[in-house]
Amino acid sequence: MHRGKGMKFVGDSRVPAVRKPNIPKDYSEYPGKTEVFWPNFLLKEWLVGSVFLVGFLCLTVAHPSPLERIADPTDTTYVPLPDWYFLFLYQLLKYSYASGPYTVIGAIVMPGLAFAALLLAPFLDRGPERRPWKRPVATGMMLLALASIVYLTWEAVVTHDWKKAAEQGKIRAEVEIDTNAEGYKIAQANTCTSCHGQNLSGGAGPSLIGTGLTPEEIAKIAKEGKGNMPGGIFKGTDEELKKMAEFIAGLKAE
């Protein structure tokens, strides 16, 4: 065969000979497969969003947020509880190896390692296989992390004293306390405010507002104690005890 004889040059059929402007076809050319964005598609989106919003608002009305009393920085017995998605970390910080002098390990090091592993996962696991049973290392690590989070969250819920939490967060009636009153100063001098709060609305001890007790009954409790309150805490004179008891008996919620 002579050079060039019997040879044909065929162009690529995927490349059109005539360039056409890159304009998409009108949606009407695809019946049943697409629709106009405005107003058809956008109206559907708004309707779905409205239904979700109304449902969410109904849920908030039926189950309002559980509010607690105003924060009292003097109440050292208050045990805070984080939201449910942080309960696993809250439980982790209860263990000796992740709390106290090792808080940095539980609060920064361990969550940091988990975040770094998640961040580097796409770079470390670069195999073509996507079926979980074909990726034992990645699947095993993910199941281990999931099981740890579920267990720690469950442990936090079970071990938390929900009855005490409800009591310590209860919204109590408060009155405006005259901190310059002699009865208040006597109560403060005898460390009453350390247990009952600076506003005497409760802390480690119960609220002293609206107790319904007479001054004599209050004086007796201050001297002899009651329940978890031991006797002998009040160290003042009988005259001071009388003034303090009368002051506390006069605290009534409006």
Side-chain angles (χ1 to χ4, degrees), residues 14-43:
R14 293 172 297 180
V15 180
V18 180
R19 290 282 183 177
K20 296 181 179 180
N22 191 17
I23 301 176
K25 295 181 179 180
D26 189 80
Y27 76 96
S28 59
E29 298 186 28
Y30 302 92
K33 296 182 180 180
T34 185
E35 60 182 334
V36 65
F37 178 77
W38 171 266
N40 299 17
F41 180 79
L42 198 57
L43 182 60

Side-chain angles (χ1 to χ4, degrees), residues 79-81 90 94 155-163 165 168:
V79 180
L81 185 69
Y90 168 74
K94 293 181 182 179
E155 191 72 12
V157 172
V158 170
T159 57
H160 188 70
D161 191 345
W162 294 100
K163 185 177 180 181
Q168 71 180 4

Side-chain angles (χ1 to χ4, degrees), residues 88-104:
F88 72 97
L89 186 59
Y90 168 74
Q91 180 65 23
L92 181 65
L93 294 175
K94 293 181 182 179
Y95 299 130
S96 57
Y97 57 82
S99 60
Y102 307 108
T103 303
V104 175

Side-chain angles (χ1 to χ4, degrees), residues 118-179:
L118 186 63
L119 186 66
L120 296 175
F123 303 98
L124 299 177
D125 185 21
R126 303 177 62 182
E129 191 60 58
R130 287 293 173 264
R131 287 173 289 185
W133 54 89
K134 293 290 186 178
R135 305 166 61 194
V137 176
T139 303
M141 294 295 291
M142 183 58 67
L143 290 177
L144 179 62
L146 182 62
S148 301
I149 292 174
V150 170
Y151 171 75
L152 289 174
T153 302
W154 174 82
E155 191 72 12
V157 172
V158 170
T159 57
H160 188 70
D161 191 345
W162 294 100
K163 185 177 180 181
K164 182 180 178 181
E167 186 62 29
Q168 71 180 4
K170 186 182 295 183
I171 299 177
R172 301 182 178 93
E174 294 185 4
V175 297
E176 188 174 348
I177 303 294
D178 183 7
T179 56

Side-chain angles (χ1 to χ4, degrees), residues 178-201:
D178 183 7
T179 56
N180 294 320
E182 188 176 1
Y184 178 84
K185 291 181 178 179
I186 295 172
Q188 193 175 37
N190 285 273
T191 66
C192 296
T193 55
S194 62
C195 289
H196 298 282
Q198 291 293 329
N199 293 325
L200 302 178
S201 58

